[in-house]
């Protein structure tokens, strides 16, 4: 297993689902983890930044719950500054915060379309832009954006979620070239199969998924740990599928 001892990770969208699993995985590998999300109190879906941080601490790790709204630049800057103040810097950034909308384009309300872009794309931009100077100050590091295999499923039509994630992949593939001289690895990571997160199931997405198509979130966590240990001399400028990456 990749050792991340001495590293500091900032995970956006870490209060539940894939983000929570990745936060646990990074902590288990030795990283100090900022658990960042809007969910500071229990809401409609289970999981908060405090419950995730508490579970990490109970397992012997070190975690900091940090409130963060990725659509708000000031909130992102404050969350990262709090992380630096507590842990001394940032080496690993995971941009995972996301919202789901899989409806057909012709019946998609503009508010749903815009929300997907605001959280899934602009939110990644905010976190990434604010974190770059922090990783550069550490002499390098790793940035990971969580995307989806749906980007390549052109025969399944179009929806706001896949469009927003496709844009993130273009952002990170180009950014890898920009940050290579700073020794910062930049990659996208998506599940090989479907991860039945709380958000996915609440949106009705899990009702028609055959069991053999379901991937446990821990698989994404193990893949994220592998990518988190990279710098620009290793894996960078790629879109990785979790199970494919781990099988190498």
């Amino acid at each position: 297993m990749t050792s991340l001892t001495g590293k500091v990770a900032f995970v956006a969208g870490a209060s539940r689902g894939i983000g929570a699993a990745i936060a646990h995985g990074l902590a288990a590998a030795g990283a100090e983890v900022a658990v960042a999300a809007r969910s500071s109190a229990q809401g409609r879906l289970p999981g908060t930044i405090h419950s995730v941080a508490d579970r990490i601490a109970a397992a012997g790790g070190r975690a900091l719950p940090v409130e963060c709204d990725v659509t708000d630049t000031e909130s992102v800057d404050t969350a990262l500054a709090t992380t630096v103040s507590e842990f001394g810097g940032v080496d690993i950034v995971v941009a995972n915060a996301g919202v789901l909308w899989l409806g057909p384009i012709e019946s998609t309300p503009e508010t749903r379309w815009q929300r997907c872009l605001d959280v899934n794309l602009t939110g990644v931009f905010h976190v990434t832009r604010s974190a770059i100077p922090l990783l550069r100050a550490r002499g390098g590091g790793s940035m990971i954006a969580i995307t989806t295999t749906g980007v390549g499923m052109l025969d399944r039509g179009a929806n706001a979620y896949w469009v927003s994630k496709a844009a993130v992949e273009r952002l990170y593939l180009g950014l890898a070239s920009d940050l290579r001289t700073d020794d910062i690895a930049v990659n996208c990571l998506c599940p090989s199969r479907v991860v039945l997160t709380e958000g996915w199931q609440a949106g009705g997405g899990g009702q028609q998924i055959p069991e053999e198509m379901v991937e446990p979130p821990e698989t994404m966590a193990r893949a994220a740990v592998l990518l988190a240990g990279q710098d620009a001399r290793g894996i960078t400028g790629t879109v990785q599928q979790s199970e494919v990456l781990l099988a190498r």
Side-chain angles (χ1 to χ4, degrees):
M1 183 177 181
T2 302
S3 174
L4 300 177
T5 300
K7 302 293 186 181
V8 176
F10 181 91
V11 184
S15 60
R16 62 181 65 92
I18 290 173
I22 289 175
H24 281 282
L26 295 174
E32 297 173 311
V33 181
V35 179
R38 292 190 308 158
S39 305
S40 60
Q42 187 62 56
R44 183 173 60 90
L45 298 177
T48 70
I49 54 176
H50 301 288
S51 64
V52 174
D54 287 347
R55 288 199 302 273
I56 289 173
R62 190 176 179 203
L64 174 71
V66 183
E67 288 190 48
C68 181
D69 179 352
V70 298
T71 68
D72 184 294
T73 55
E74 184 176 348
S75 178
V76 171
D77 289 343
T78 299
L80 282 164
T82 300
T83 303
V84 172
S85 177
E86 178 70 19
F87 291 145
V90 175
D91 305 284
I92 301 158
V93 173
V94 181
N96 170 73
V99 295
L100 185 69
W101 179 260
L102 298 174
I105 289 297
E106 66 268 24
S107 59
T108 296
E110 186 168 347
T111 53
R112 292 283 189 175
W113 172 266
Q114 194 60 53
R115 184 65 177 162
C116 275
L117 294 180
D118 289 345
V119 177
N120 300 351
L121 176 56
T122 305
V124 172
F125 163 70
H126 287 158
V127 170
T128 302
R129 182 181 61 178
S130 294
I132 287 172
L134 303 179
L135 271 68
R136 189 177 283 134
R138 300 281 271 193
S142 177
M143 308 190 83
I144 306 165
I146 304 303
T147 60
T148 173
T149 52
V151 167
M153 293 177 169
L154 303 183
D155 60 323
R156 307 292 179 88
N159 60 64
Y161 180 70
W162 292 347
V163 168
S164 63
K165 292 295 189 177
V168 168
E169 292 188 357
R170 177 58 182 87
L171 170 65
Y172 264 48
L173 290 174
L175 189 63
S177 177
D178 294 340
L179 298 182
R180 190 177 295 274
T181 57
D182 294 303
D183 205 17
I184 299 173
V186 184
N187 293 286
C188 293
L189 174 64
C190 65
S192 294
R193 295 178 288 164
V194 177
V195 179
L196 298 181
T197 63
E198 295 88 345
W200 178 273
Q201 295 185 77
Q207 297 177 1
Q208 300 177 353
I209 305 299
E211 185 176 348
E212 65 272 16
M213 289 300 297
V214 175
E215 175 180 325
E218 290 76 18
T219 302
M220 282 289 287
R222 290 191 292 119
V225 167
L226 195 158
L227 289 180
Q230 304 296 316
D231 55 32
R233 294 164 293 180
I235 300 172
T236 190
T238 68
V239 178
Q240 298 286 343
Q241 288 190 17
S242 55
E243 293 175 338
V244 176
L245 176 63
L246 292 171
R248 288 183 175 180

